[in-house]
Structure formats: C-alpha cells, structure tokens
Amino acid sequence: MKSKKIAAITMARNDEFFLRRWVAYYGHELGNENLYIILDGTDQDEPQNADGANIIKLPHTEMSRAAGDKYRIGKISELANELFKTYDIVIGCDSDEFLVVDPATKKSLREYLSESKIKTTVSGLGLDIGQNMRTETVLDGNKSMLEQRGYALLSTRYTKPVVINKPVHWGSGFHSVKGHNFHIDKNLYLFHFGAVDMKMLQDKAKKRGPDWENHLRRRGNGTINAATNKTAHGEQHIKIARMLQRIFRPIYALDKPGMLGIKWVVKIPGRFKKAGI
C-alpha cells in the first residue's frame, strides 16, 4: 500500500522540555518537514532540533484558561483544515502527548496509519504516565522517559481523537471532534506525560506562585498519587479498558469515552520502552 502523507500539529508556550521531545518523536516518524508548530508568543524560541519544521509564531494574549483553550484549538483546527489541501491525515495533540503504535505490530506510525481505515477520526487508548514516588527517581532529562517510568493511569481523559482524515473542528484539548463519534484503534496508544515527574511539577508550581505550591504540597498530583499508591495491573486490564471505553459513554458527553468511573493503574508493557520517547 502506498504511504499516505501525514502531518502533525501542536501549539506550545514556554514548553521547551516537551516540545523538543515532540519534535524528536514525530520528526522521526513523519519527517520534520511534516511538523507544524504554532508558538504562542513572538518571544518564543524555536526548538533546536526543529530544522525543516514549519514554525508559526503568533502574538501572545493573556486569557482565562477556558478562553485560551478555545483560542488554541481554533487555531489548530484552522491549520489542520488548510493542510488537507496537501495531506491525507493530520495528527493534532499537545506537546506532552505521543501517539504510539504497539511495537508488536512491527510497523511505524506512518505505515500503520497509511493502512488504517479511518472513519473521520481515530483515537489511541489514553495512558497517563505518572511517577511512582516509592520506586522511581527524579527524571533524567537526557534519557528516554519511558525507560525511566513504568506506570500509567488508564484515563478516558487522554483517549482523544487526535487523528483525522478530513476537515473537522476539534473540541478544546482535542478531547472530541464536533459532530463525530470516536473510534479507538486496537493498536494505538496516546501517552500523556504531564505528570511524569513530581519535581518538574513542583518547579512549575513555584513559578506560578505560593497558592499553586501549597495546593501541590497538600493534594499532590492525582496521576502521581495513583501511580504511587494503587495496585498496578497487567496488560489484560489494558485490553478490558479499551473494550469498556468503546462501549460506554458519559451521559453528559456522549461523544467521549467512558469507563464507569473505574481508575486502574497498569504496568506499561516493556516493549514500549524502545518507542523513542
């Protein structure tokens, strides 16, 4: 089968750590020339490894979180729809999110998506990576994240329709596609790394101010708390979670996956450690 032309889009501000890894991963899978990065602020530096990538800098405007989310997803959806003039498939996600094909397929992301029958959108099963504070040390930024972290919360929040094959409009945060259902692929996973390291979260909270620091100190982080304190299950629970999310929907959001409120922590299968993240 002929390889399809695939683009990947993200939008970021003050996020060098993850953006550099986003470029490295998707650049390897798709080629830097097929990456589109919107930088929120003309003051933003381009990632050092983004040679050949398409960089768009927009003036930064202070907004509320909700307004900012709508603004960002609007800009990304507009760009995605424009790209369909030359691309067959577009991946849209945050800079700390990585769409991964199960290594057991022995196929690259481009190969797998080129062969997939996509009905407007396709989702990977959401795996929210969290540091186990009992067994895992501070993240070494020079090494692979998946080689240093072994636990994930099975999260409907990150089972997102990040792959589209025609012009649509994503909902805020890529959590839905307006007017379309979602389809969870059996071999795709969306790894989210926002809670990959407690020290990283503490440093961010310190920059935001005392209220954020105190909140993190009192409450911790939900994903890290779960990875640290919940019993970690095996791969069978990953398969069950995918089945549940295919069947159930929250009453308040029928275009999003549900899991009946179940929150399982799982051990990430060892074969993913060489995924290049």
Side-chain angles (χ1 to χ4, degrees):
M1 178 179 289
K2 183 181 178 181
S3 179
K4 292 184 178 178
K5 193 170 184 186
I6 305 173
I9 308 174
T10 196
M11 186 170 183
R13 176 172 176 79
N14 298 331
D15 198 8
E16 187 273 341
F17 179 86
F18 285 117
L19 189 55
R20 181 160 43 88
R21 285 158 178 76
W22 188 94
V23 170
Y25 176 73
Y26 288 103
H28 173 75
E29 294 290 335
L30 306 174
N32 273 22
E33 69 277 10
N34 297 310
L35 306 186
Y36 293 79
I37 302 164
I38 304 174
L39 293 176
D40 183 11
T42 55
D43 61 329
Q44 299 290 291
D45 293 329
E46 298 180 10
Q48 293 182 351
N49 59 342
D51 288 350
N54 303 277
I55 309 290
I56 303 165
K57 290 188 179 183
L58 299 178
H60 175 69
T61 303
E62 291 295 334
M63 303 180 189
S64 69
R65 181 170 180 174
D69 286 346
K70 288 183 179 179
Y71 167 76
R72 286 187 289 273
I73 205 64
K75 290 296 182 184
I76 291 171
S77 293
E78 287 175 9
L79 176 57
N81 293 344
E82 184 69 19
L83 290 177
F84 278 114
K85 293 178 179 178
T86 53
Y87 285 91
D88 303 301
I89 296 170
V90 175
I91 301 168
C93 59
D94 294 333
S95 58
D96 59 0
E97 295 173 343
F98 301 81
L99 184 68
V100 179
V101 180
D102 193 324
T105 67
K106 301 187 184 305
K107 294 178 181 178
S108 69
L109 184 61
R110 181 192 295 278
E111 289 170 339
Y112 191 80
L113 291 180
S114 293
E115 297 173 3
S116 298
K117 294 181 179 179
I118 301 172
K119 299 177 181 179
T120 306
T121 77
V122 71
S123 305
L125 184 70
L127 292 176
D128 192 13
I129 309 301
Q131 180 182 3
N132 185 317
M133 299 298 289
R134 301 182 196 277
T135 62
E136 296 175 338
T137 59
V138 173
L139 196 73
D140 184 338
N142 296 314
K143 296 180 180 178
S144 159
M145 292 188 290
L146 280 181
E147 289 186 353
Q148 300 175 71
R149 296 292 183 259
Y151 302 91
L153 182 64
L154 285 169
S155 175
T156 56
R157 180 172 176 78
Y158 296 105
T159 300
K160 300 181 179 185
V162 297
V163 180
I164 56 176
N165 69 349
K166 63 183 64 173
V168 297
H169 196 289
W170 274 297
S172 293
F174 304 96
H175 293 291
S176 63
V177 170
K178 294 183 179 181
H180 294 276
N181 202 344
F182 67 94
H183 307 275
I184 306 173
D185 187 273
K186 65 180 180 179
N187 291 311
L188 288 177
Y189 297 82
L190 188 69
F191 286 84
H192 173 252
F193 288 88
V196 70
D197 189 71
M198 177 58 84
K199 186 178 184 304
M200 189 184 301
L201 293 178
Q202 291 169 340
D203 290 343
K204 287 183 179 179
K206 188 174 183 178
K207 290 180 181 179
R208 289 178 170 181
D211 288 346
W212 288 88
E213 284 188 280
N214 292 334
H215 178 79
L216 186 61
R217 191 177 299 114
R218 290 195 313 269
R219 301 283 299 277
N221 171 273
T223 302
I224 290 177
N225 292 344
T228 302
N229 299 311
K230 282 180 168 286
T231 299
H233 300 285
E235 191 162 358
Q236 185 61 28
H237 281 68
I238 296 176
K239 296 177 181 178
I240 296 171
R242 184 183 287 107
M243 179 185 68
L244 291 173
Q245 291 188 34
R246 281 176 172 167
I247 296 172
F248 294 104
R249 307 284 189 278
I251 294 174
Y252 57 85
L254 296 176
D255 59 347
K256 296 179 182 179
M259 244 181 84
L260 303 176
I262 299 170
K263 295 184 181 297
W264 283 327
V265 169
V266 294
K267 293 180 180 178
I268 303 167
R271 62 184 179 276
F272 286 95
K273 291 189 180 295
K274 299 300 183 183
I277 303 169

